Amino acid sequence: MSKTKWKDTPLLHKVVTIISIIASLSVMVLAVLQIFEIWEQAINVYMPLMGVVMLCQGYVQWSNSRKVAYFSIGTAVFIFICAMIVFLF
């Protein structure tokens, strides 16, 4: 297995990776805000962001491991369903 250098990766792969990193950091910040009760409704934002992170992971893993990609996509669907339930109720 050869390791691809950052400069050799396709632009879309770079964009998805950066979006995933930003979304992951946002999830952590928003979760801390929720835990310390600074923003009571932060869960309505960070739960869908977790789904976005899983979709990004699915895209990144698609060529390396389809099983991991399918699991990430399935997890993202589950997270989006949970987010809708939390948001509606």
Side-chain angles (χ1 to χ4, degrees), residues 14-84:
K14 290 178 186 178
V15 169
V16 170
T17 302
I18 292 169
I19 289 171
S20 178
I21 291 169
I22 292 170
S24 296
L25 291 172
S26 299
V27 165
M28 291 189 317
V29 169
L30 290 168
V32 168
L33 292 175
Q34 178 80 34
I35 290 170
F36 290 113
E37 298 177 358
I38 296 170
W39 184 19
E40 296 287 329
Q41 300 301 317
I43 193 169
N44 293 332
V45 179
Y46 75 76
M47 279 190 71
L49 277 176
M50 287 191 308
V52 170
V53 170
M54 294 307 295
L55 285 177
C56 291
Q57 181 180 349
Y59 173 79
V60 170
Q61 291 295 325
W62 189 257
S63 60
N64 297 334
S65 175
R66 291 282 168 96
K67 290 180 182 178
V68 173
Y70 285 132
F71 182 77
S72 296
I73 293 168
T75 304
V77 170
F78 178 74
I79 290 171
F80 286 131
I81 291 170
C82 290
M84 285 191 302

